[in-house]
Amino acid sequence: MVTFVLVLVLLIAVLVLGGFVVGYNKVRSADVRVDEALGGIDVQLTRRASLIPSLISTVQTFAAHEKAILDHVADAQAALAAATSGKSVAQRTSAEQQFDSAVGQVLALGQSYPQLNSSNNFLNLQQNLADTEDKLAFARQYYNDAVAGVNKLTTTIPWMFVAGMAGVKQREFYQVPK
């Protein structure tokens, strides 16, 4: 009888330990997926920011006296680069909003300068920015899907018990800059 109880207790202990290991791995994997997705957003933000020196150079050729707008873009580019090196999603969103505003002003110059709007370099840069924006939208969606997965795991039984021990917390969704 004692042997039966001992075997039963040992079996239960092994099952609990196995469940913990499975849960721990599941929660940590979901957390790593979120970090990976945030890295994907950073790649696209960096790609978009790297197009700006060429855009500024092209615009300066046609509209050199628009220095305030071009300086604003350079400042926004620096803020975006700084934001992608941090952990804060809110800081990325804010820097992206500032960057979008600055780039919008530069692209609006194409309306004021018809020769700029007909420049192949300017048109090519506009197309590259549009392509990057599409990739960035996909990266944001992937990140938010990953965050939804982690947040679901950290708030549902039985994973919520393992999440605390694994050091995984709910994550912040990426808001689209307006």
Side-chain angles (χ1 to χ4, degrees):
M1 177 73 174
V2 173
T3 307
F4 175 73
V5 172
L6 189 59
V7 169
L8 186 61
V9 168
L10 185 60
L11 184 62
I12 291 172
V14 167
L15 288 175
V16 168
L17 180 62
F20 176 78
V21 169
V22 168
Y24 182 90
N25 288 339
K26 183 173 186 156
V27 170
R28 291 298 302 152
S29 294
D31 196 47
V32 167
R33 183 173 171 232
V34 171
D35 289 337
E36 174 209 345
L38 189 57
I41 290 173
D42 288 346
V43 165
Q44 296 308 321
L45 290 175
T46 302
R47 179 175 184 249
R48 188 167 65 166
S50 71
L51 292 172
I52 297 309
S54 299
L55 183 64
I56 289 174
S57 175
T58 301
V59 170
Q60 279 179 331
T61 305
F62 294 97
H65 62 280
E66 302 285 357
K67 183 157 176 44
I69 291 175
L70 299 177
D71 288 345
H72 181 60
V73 171
D75 293 343
Q77 180 187 14
L80 190 61
T84 58
S85 64
K87 285 276 191 191
S88 171
V89 173
Q91 184 182 6
R92 281 176 178 79
T93 302
S94 174
E96 189 177 350
Q97 185 175 14
Q98 178 185 357
F99 185 82
D100 287 346
S101 170
V103 170
Q105 290 174 343
V106 172
L107 295 177
L109 289 176
Q111 303 303 320
S112 303
Y113 298 92
Q115 69 275 26
L116 175 62
N117 212 21
S118 64
S119 164
N120 284 338
N121 283 345
F122 188 72
L123 295 174
N124 186 29
L125 288 167
Q126 279 183 315
Q127 181 61 44
N128 283 335
L129 283 170
D131 290 345
T132 301
E133 188 58 41
D134 289 344
K135 291 175 182 176
L136 185 55
F138 177 78
R140 284 187 204 115
Q141 179 183 357
Y142 180 73
Y143 172 81
N144 283 338
D145 288 346
V147 167
V150 164
N151 290 351
K152 181 180 171 189
L153 287 174
T154 60
T155 58
T156 57
I157 295 173
W159 313 120
M160 64 190 285
F161 301 115
V162 179
M165 289 183 245
V168 176
K169 296 181 172 112
Q170 286 194 359
R171 300 292 282 265
E172 180 181 6
F173 285 100
Y174 199 98
Q175 302 297 321
V176 178
K178 294 178 171 108

